Amino acid sequence: MSNINFLKELERKSDYSLALVSEIWADISKLNEYPTTILNNKLDEINTKLDFAREQWINVDVLDKQLLDFRVLSFYRDIDKKVEDINLKWNSFNTDIALIEKEYVKLQREEGLDYDLLALKIDWLKDEVKKWKLLLKIKDIAASDGTSIYNLEEIQWEYLSLKDKWIDVSEIEEILFEI
């Protein structure tokens, strides 16, 4: 009699495990549908479910990998979108990259990622932000008739450091030649 109860309990746990894994899988597959504002909450929910599944001795390694892959792709997409936004409409307000840097720090703690590629991508973003902030400074100097708070020596140093990194500084050069 106890063997039958034991088998029924195993079957119930197996059914529950399959249902939980299916639910997590469905949640991961829907992540692309959520806007960025909701995405972090959804990621937290999925991580909670994954933690619970691990506590139930369910192997969720494949799901962990799927979630990590999504986070990396989302990180790259966020960087590309930020650079695109800056290029389209740049001002000192849209150059804030704190959330992207926060995700970068989280991804550095994960195992099995190409850390060099992550670093290259975040460095590229930082250089683009520097370039556009430098453009704002140069435009301020050009429009201020000598009353700008920025000095040309500082700008020259920033300009040369960007040029040394092979960043496209053609827009900066155009304005500098006009000053």
Side-chain angles (χ1 to χ4, degrees):
M1 191 82 152
S2 65
N3 284 341
I4 293 175
N5 289 337
F6 178 71
L7 289 175
K8 284 183 180 181
E9 181 64 20
L10 280 178
E11 184 178 346
R12 186 188 67 75
K13 285 188 175 192
S14 175
D15 291 344
Y16 176 75
S17 297
L18 290 173
L20 181 59
V21 167
S22 295
E23 181 181 334
I24 295 170
W25 191 270
D27 288 347
I28 291 172
S29 66
K30 292 179 188 175
L31 284 174
N32 281 326
E33 300 171 9
Y34 297 111
T36 306
T37 54
I38 297 175
L39 188 59
N40 286 333
N41 291 339
K42 292 297 180 181
L43 288 171
D44 289 342
E45 286 177 21
I46 292 171
N47 279 322
T48 301
K49 289 178 184 179
L50 286 169
D51 289 342
F52 180 74
R54 278 187 216 90
E55 290 172 4
Q56 302 301 312
W57 295 81
I58 301 171
N59 184 348
V60 290
D61 291 344
V62 172
L63 296 173
D64 279 331
K65 177 75 171 108
Q66 286 288 106
L67 187 59
L68 183 59
D69 289 346
F70 173 82
R71 287 179 51 213
V72 169
L73 289 175
S74 180
F75 173 74
Y76 292 152
R77 186 178 48 231
D78 288 348
I79 288 176
D80 292 339
K81 184 175 181 344
K82 179 57 94 171
V83 170
E84 183 181 313
D85 289 347
I86 292 170
N87 288 332
L88 291 175
K89 180 184 170 193
W90 47 277
N91 58 47
S92 59
F93 300 110
N94 70 351
T95 55
D96 180 23
I97 59 171
L99 291 176
I100 295 172
E101 289 176 316
K102 185 176 177 182
E103 183 62 19
Y104 174 64
V105 169
K106 287 180 186 176
L107 287 172
Q108 285 181 313
R109 294 183 197 132
E110 298 292 340
E111 293 182 19
L113 294 179
D114 186 348
Y115 302 112
D116 293 334
L117 186 57
L118 290 174
L120 282 173
K121 198 72 169 174
I122 196 77
D123 288 344
W124 173 67
L125 173 63
K126 288 177 181 179
D127 287 339
E128 286 294 314
V129 167
K130 285 178 190 175
K131 177 177 98 175
W132 291 105
K133 284 184 175 183
L134 183 59
L135 259 169
L136 287 172
K137 290 176 184 179
I138 292 171
K139 286 198 171 208
D140 182 67
I141 287 176
S144 70
D145 293 329
T147 60
S148 176
I149 61 171
Y150 305 110
N151 66 44
L152 284 175
E153 289 176 15
E154 175 186 320
I155 287 176
Q156 180 182 5
W157 182 83
E158 290 178 35
Y159 160 74
L160 291 174
S161 70
L162 288 172
K163 193 168 182 170
D164 287 344
K165 292 181 180 182
W166 296 90
I167 306 294
D168 178 21
V169 290
S170 57
E171 292 177 71
I172 294 171
E173 291 173 339
E174 288 176 22
I175 299 171
L176 281 175
F177 290 127
E178 292 174 7
I179 297 179

